[in-house]
Amino acid sequence: MKKLILILLAFSTLSCQSQERKSAFLENKQPVKMNVEKGLELATFAGGCFWCTEAVFLEIEGVKKVVSGYIGGTTKNPTYKDIGTGMTGHAEAIQITFDPKIVSFGELLEIFFATHDPTTLNRQGNDVGTQYRSEVFYYNDDQKQLTQDYISLMTSEKTFKNPIVTRVSAASIFYEAEDYHQNYYNLNKTQSYCSYVITPKIDKLKKNFKDKLKD
């Protein structure tokens, strides 16, 4: 029993970072313009530690690229250490380049909301702070409307026990995170955070979205 308690205590301390600070969010009236290859589109989601969200969407058919980074803050060229203070206003996020002929933005939204908790304000599990908030950054009016409609639908159907707190914001400048954050899960599967936090998410994804996975 003593050994079990120690294991549970160790698990409870696992977090990408765990500092909560007040910070200003960058409010944009219009999303920034991004150049993408013809026929492809962008989606940017913040749903807690980007190691988790990146690992999920790398598995999805039609997703061409996933980049971990920082968005929604006021500091130029923030570092991981900077955003860890919670003072820059940025969220840990992923920028997805996808082929809408294979996977739609709506399908990506469905996966996003099914693989994180959109009801916990500024936290995901043991990761606490405004940098771990739930937020969708849209690049056009269609993405904005789809996101708002989907949240309204989930709210009316009471998909979650608690109210959804996910923000819906115009995309601002997306800063790519340091190299060691990219493809983090696949390169560090034996690391404790990956084993105990991310692997269960991937297992859930493979169970519930079999038809959306890459071969």
Side-chain angles (χ1 to χ4, degrees):
M1 178 62 71
K2 183 177 180 181
K3 183 178 180 181
L4 177 60
I5 292 173
L6 289 174
I7 292 173
L8 291 174
L9 286 173
F11 177 69
S12 69
T13 63
L14 293 174
S15 65
C16 188
Q17 288 180 340
S18 56
Q19 298 181 44
E20 184 171 17
R21 300 285 189 275
K22 293 182 179 180
S23 63
F25 296 112
L26 182 62
E27 297 287 354
N28 294 317
K29 294 183 179 180
Q30 297 295 328
V32 297
K33 300 295 182 182
M34 297 291 294
N35 294 320
V36 292
E37 184 181 334
K38 187 176 180 179
L40 301 181
E41 296 181 12
L42 292 177
T44 296
F45 300 143
C49 178
F50 47 25
W51 298 344
C52 297
T53 47
E54 179 196 61
V56 165
F57 285 96
L58 281 173
E59 297 284 338
I60 304 303
E61 183 68 31
V63 169
K64 302 299 182 181
K65 184 179 180 182
V66 182
V67 178
S68 290
Y70 317 118
I71 190 172
T74 55
T75 301
K76 292 183 178 180
N77 301 310
T79 65
Y80 188 60
K81 183 177 180 180
D82 292 333
I83 69 104
T85 67
M87 299 299 290
T88 73
H90 291 87
E92 286 194 17
I94 55 166
Q95 187 179 79
I96 304 165
T97 302
F98 67 99
D99 185 343
K101 296 188 295 296
I102 300 175
V103 61
S104 68
F105 179 77
E107 289 172 320
L108 294 178
L109 272 181
E110 181 185 3
I111 294 167
F112 172 65
F113 281 104
T115 53
H116 86 293
D117 186 349
T119 70
T120 51
L121 185 63
N122 299 330
R123 75 175 301 158
Q124 284 295 304
N126 295 313
D127 291 318
V128 181
T130 55
Q131 65 270 35
Y132 300 116
R133 64 187 182 269
S134 176
E135 189 161 2
V136 174
F137 296 89
Y138 60 84
Y139 289 94
N140 53 52
D141 289 340
D142 286 343
Q143 288 189 353
K144 178 182 180 181
Q145 192 63 55
L146 279 168
T147 304
Q148 292 175 333
D149 288 348
Y150 192 59
I151 291 174
S152 295
L153 177 63
M154 290 188 293
T155 299
S156 65
E157 294 188 344
K158 297 182 179 179
T159 302
F160 298 96
K161 181 180 179 180
N162 297 314
I164 295 170
V165 297
T166 304
R167 293 166 56 93
V168 182
S169 308
S172 55
I173 297 174
F174 181 88
Y175 295 98
E176 187 171 336
E178 295 83 346
D179 287 346
Y180 70 92
H181 289 300
Q182 309 304 327
N183 198 27
Y184 188 88
Y185 172 69
N186 290 318
L187 297 175
N188 299 275
K189 287 186 178 181
T190 59
Q191 193 246 32
S192 58
Y193 185 88
C194 293
S195 298
Y196 290 106
V197 180
I198 306 179
T199 295
K201 285 179 177 284
I202 299 300
D203 291 341
K204 180 181 178 180
L205 177 77
K206 290 180 178 179
K207 178 181 179 181
N208 297 329
F209 293 95
K210 292 180 181 178
D211 60 330
K212 298 290 188 286
L213 303 179
K214 293 175 180 176
D215 295 332

